[in-house]
Amino acid sequence: SSVIVDIYYDHFLSKNWNDYSSESLKTFTERNYAVLTEYVSDFPEGAKRTLKYMKQTDWLYNYQFLSGIEMALNGMSRRTTFDSKMEFAIQELNQDYDLYEAEFKLFFPLLQEHIDQFDSGQKL
């Protein structure tokens, strides 16, 4: 599913953060939690609870670790209204870890290039 691939990519971005940013991952995550907290009064109740838990367990920073990804997948699986089996996606990631990481390393520079072109006003 696209949600699972997104979480896998969050892992590889976090794990390889220093390849893409001069700002430390910790600084980035703390800054983003602060921005989200600033606007939390505008969030629906469910999102407010999620943000509180996100900050307490430092989701964004812990995505760099497989244990953080496993926690995210298990949590998402519990919250779905259907039997998603997302909790088993960590096994898939472990099984083909190098392939997923190689795919991410091909994809992410293309995404950055796309964003750069968009920011510069070039037609895509």
Side-chain angles (χ1 to χ4, degrees), residues 2 5 10 21 25 28-30 33 48 51 57-58 61 81 84 87-89 94 100 107 122:
S2 58
V5 172
D10 288 345
S21 179
L25 179 60
F28 172 81
T29 60
E30 288 174 353
Y33 290 135
K48 288 177 184 178
L51 177 59
T57 58
D58 205 356
Y61 183 77
T81 58
S84 70
E87 69 273 19
F88 299 111
N94 280 319
Y100 282 114
F107 168 77
Q122 296 177 16

Side-chain angles (χ1 to χ4, degrees), residues 20-36:
Y20 304 106
S21 179
S22 58
E23 180 180 32
S24 77
L25 179 60
K26 192 64 172 169
T27 301
F28 172 81
T29 60
E30 288 174 353
R31 182 169 49 83
N32 279 277
Y33 290 135
V35 168
L36 291 170

Side-chain angles (χ1 to χ4, degrees), residues 23-113:
E23 180 180 32
S24 77
L25 179 60
K26 192 64 172 169
T27 301
F28 172 81
T29 60
E30 288 174 353
R31 182 169 49 83
N32 279 277
Y33 290 135
V35 168
L36 291 170
T37 300
E38 184 178 340
Y39 294 98
V40 75
S41 63
D42 297 329
F43 291 9
E45 288 307 312
K48 288 177 184 178
R49 287 189 301 275
T50 299
L51 177 59
K52 181 179 177 184
Y53 184 72
M54 239 178 121
K55 287 169 48 179
Q56 286 174 346
T57 58
D58 205 356
W59 278 7
L60 298 176
Y61 183 77
N62 284 309
Y63 274 175
Q64 68 184 303
F65 308 112
L66 287 174
S67 60
I69 295 303
E70 185 172 22
M71 183 179 69
L73 290 165
N74 287 337
M76 290 178 73
S77 180
R78 279 191 309 275
R79 289 187 300 274
T80 60
T81 58
F82 57 95
D83 188 17
S84 70
K85 306 230 184 292
M86 262 190 240
E87 69 273 19
F88 299 111
I90 194 70
Q91 295 165 1
E92 174 83 18
L93 178 58
N94 280 319
Q95 179 181 329
D96 293 316
Y97 191 88
D98 293 337
L99 292 171
Y100 282 114
E101 185 167 29
E103 180 184 272
F104 171 82
K105 288 183 175 184
L106 290 172
F107 168 77
F108 198 72
L110 296 173
L111 177 62
Q112 288 177 297
E113 182 180 320

Side-chain angles (χ1 to χ4, degrees), residues 115-124:
I115 298 296
D116 288 344
Q117 288 175 353
F118 183 80
D119 284 347
S120 68
Q122 296 177 16
K123 288 193 175 198
L124 303 176

